[in-house]
Amino acid sequence: MTRTIGLMGAMDEEIVLLLQGLERQQSVVHAGISFVTGIFHGKEVVVCKSGVGKVNAAVTTQILIHRFGVDIILFTGVAGAVNPSLNIGDIVISSSCQQHDMDVTPLGYKRGDIPYQDISDFPADPRLLRLAEEICSELCRDRKFIVGRVLSGDQFISDYNFVRMLHETMDGACVEMEGSAVAQVCHMNGTPYLVIRSMSDKADGTAEINYAEFTVEAATRSYEIVNEMVSKLDTILN
């Protein structure tokens, strides 16, 4: 069975290596977003840069599913570490994704809960998760990887106390700006997804400096895992 894989990143640094390895490239623009189709490891893929933030990520994800008929979405890129055991360069594989800036606590909801909705914490596909764990066990010899909850919000976090709250209250592993939107749209469409994030900073008082310095390095590490995953997807899907 032929499957089409959606490969997403939010910034140029997060997709440039994917595009370099893409054969038979063709580009088309929808809603101002460039989608590049081609062949990667012998598989049909669509590579795209969503842009930063949850709205951009949600629109891009829906287009991938509706217009390109992708069967799987992998989101790769960088994030700020929330789990205190993580350091710059370490990897988080999403067990699930949730919005940290969905805050209706004055009405009795927990932070992250979406009112009038059965689910607010969107689980990743277990087959993709297991494959990513196997690959990280092989590739991440010089760095740590964990499976954990990816928290998303439309803000750059650089406050230590807020980071501690996200870990202690929401059990977050890392924080970024797109994953929960991708996860929610995939859930609504019944499309398997996984988010893989490499830590570019520790989302604390040094976040701005570390982010600028380590973004390219962290994005490269995320790419290495996605590259291996695409090459081995047949082992879990057939």
Side-chain angles (χ1 to χ4, degrees), residues 83-170:
N83 186 314
S85 71
L86 292 169
N87 290 305
I88 293 171
D90 290 342
I91 300 292
V92 172
I93 305 167
S94 64
S95 56
S96 64
C97 295
Q98 188 172 16
Q99 298 178 64
H100 70 75
D101 62 351
M102 174 61 69
D103 186 0
V104 199
T105 51
L107 297 183
Y109 292 90
K110 294 179 181 179
R111 178 183 282 271
D113 284 354
I114 304 172
Y116 317 118
Q117 192 160 298
D118 292 336
I119 182 171
S120 302
D121 184 25
F122 302 96
D125 181 80
R127 299 166 300 171
L128 297 174
L129 177 54
R130 285 194 298 270
L131 178 60
E133 284 188 274
E134 292 172 8
I135 289 170
C136 283
S137 295
E138 298 171 2
L139 292 183
C140 298
R141 306 277 185 187
D142 62 338
R143 57 195 182 273
K144 180 177 184 175
F145 77 90
I146 65 170
V147 175
R149 179 174 292 135
V150 174
L151 299 179
S152 308
D154 289 325
Q155 55 193 122
F156 185 87
I157 307 299
S158 60
D159 179 79
Y160 171 77
N161 290 324
F162 193 64
V163 169
R164 186 172 63 179
M165 182 278 293
L166 291 179
H167 179 60
E168 294 177 353
T169 303
M170 299 189 70

Side-chain angles (χ1 to χ4, degrees), residues 6-49:
L7 302 176
M8 293 179 63
M11 304 180 297
D12 288 326
E13 295 91 340
E14 296 171 336
I15 67 165
V16 63
L17 293 175
L18 292 169
L19 291 173
Q20 287 176 7
L22 196 62
E23 301 174 359
R24 300 185 220 164
Q25 292 189 24
Q26 291 187 321
S27 181
V28 61
V29 175
H30 294 293
I33 302 160
S34 179
F35 296 84
V36 183
T37 63
I39 304 298
F40 191 58
H41 290 294
K43 301 172 180 67
E44 295 182 7
V45 302
V46 185
V47 178
C48 57
K49 179 183 72 172

